[in-house]
Amino acid sequence: RPMHEREVPAFWIDVHPVTHRDYQRYLRETQAARPRTWPRGRLARRLLDQPVTGVTHAEAAAYAAWAGKRLPDEFEWERAAQGPEHRRFPYGDAFDPARIEPRLGPVGRHPEGATSEGVHDLTGNGWEWTSSPFGPYQATPDPTDRTRTIRGGHDPRRPGSGSATYRAGLREDIADPMVGFRCARDVV
């Protein structure tokens, strides 16, 4: 709030959120520390194609840099979720629980919930970190505030959640078990 228009430079955004499988490869290649929320030992096979969650903002940003990408800002994320049609939800203008993964599940399992541009899981299947500070749109961000904007999760207790415009904030040092991420990059 308030609703406003913003020009967003051209960008690419990943079709799916980063999965446990993707993140395991990153950990093997970089020797980075495992997320604190991961179980000890091997990760269960059923989790490999689910979005990686329970990573801090810094861990998500480090993965993105390793992949030659970055975290999307919240305006890029919202543009991807609304599509060129400016939809209320990635898949249309009315909420449809059959088109989303309500908790955490394999990415891309609900292709009918993808955007018209083919981006999956922008509603449900966990929240996603963005690079944007959380606060009022018109305000100058406080450089000491370590709260970042998260997007995309669906919580039936929060009216409006799951829409392309719903936003929430999370301290960047928190490894929330329902918050993951996807990557973006500039168009060159």
Side-chain angles (χ1 to χ4, degrees):
R1 287 188 161 87
M3 185 183 335
H4 64 284
E5 289 188 18
R6 180 178 294 249
E7 188 166 324
V8 179
F11 66 97
W12 295 104
I13 194 162
D14 288 350
V15 169
H16 296 107
V18 173
T19 64
H20 284 97
R21 183 184 310 276
D22 300 328
Y23 205 78
Q24 271 191 324
R25 182 172 159 239
Y26 159 72
L27 294 176
R28 275 194 309 273
E29 292 185 16
T30 65
Q31 301 302 306
R34 291 168 62 98
R36 294 183 305 256
T37 59
W38 277 27
R40 296 221 183 268
R42 293 180 60 140
L43 202 58
R45 288 183 68 111
R46 66 180 172 73
L47 298 176
L48 290 176
D49 294 319
Q50 290 186 12
V52 64
T53 58
V55 295
T56 65
H57 187 269
E59 290 168 332
Y63 173 94
W66 167 82
K69 301 175 185 179
R70 60 178 171 72
L71 296 177
D73 69 32
E74 74 169 307
F75 307 108
E76 292 169 328
W77 192 99
E78 185 171 314
R79 164 52 185 86
Q82 287 185 324
E85 307 86 359
H86 302 283
R87 294 173 170 177
R88 185 157 181 237
F89 298 91
Y91 47 80
D93 286 322
F95 179 68
D96 182 352
R99 294 178 180 234
I100 69 168
E101 185 63 43
R103 299 294 297 159
L104 291 173
V107 300
R109 184 158 66 176
H110 295 277
E112 66 282 1
T115 68
S116 63
E117 296 169 309
V119 183
H120 292 254
D121 296 317
L122 286 165
T123 296
N125 223 2
W127 296 85
E128 297 181 10
W129 285 113
T130 73
S131 62
S132 300
F134 183 70
Y137 284 135
Q138 309 282 340
T140 302
D142 175 355
T144 63
D145 186 0
R146 299 293 176 226
T147 304
R148 296 290 172 173
T149 302
I150 57 174
R151 294 290 197 115
H154 172 65
D155 181 347
R157 298 168 298 175
R158 295 181 182 187
S161 78
S163 72
T165 57
Y166 190 86
R167 57 199 295 268
L170 184 66
R171 253 189 25 233
E172 61 186 29
D173 60 335
I174 293 177
D176 189 293
M178 287 302 293
V179 178
F181 65 100
R182 74 178 67 225
C183 298
R185 62 184 168 91
D186 299 327
V187 172
V188 291

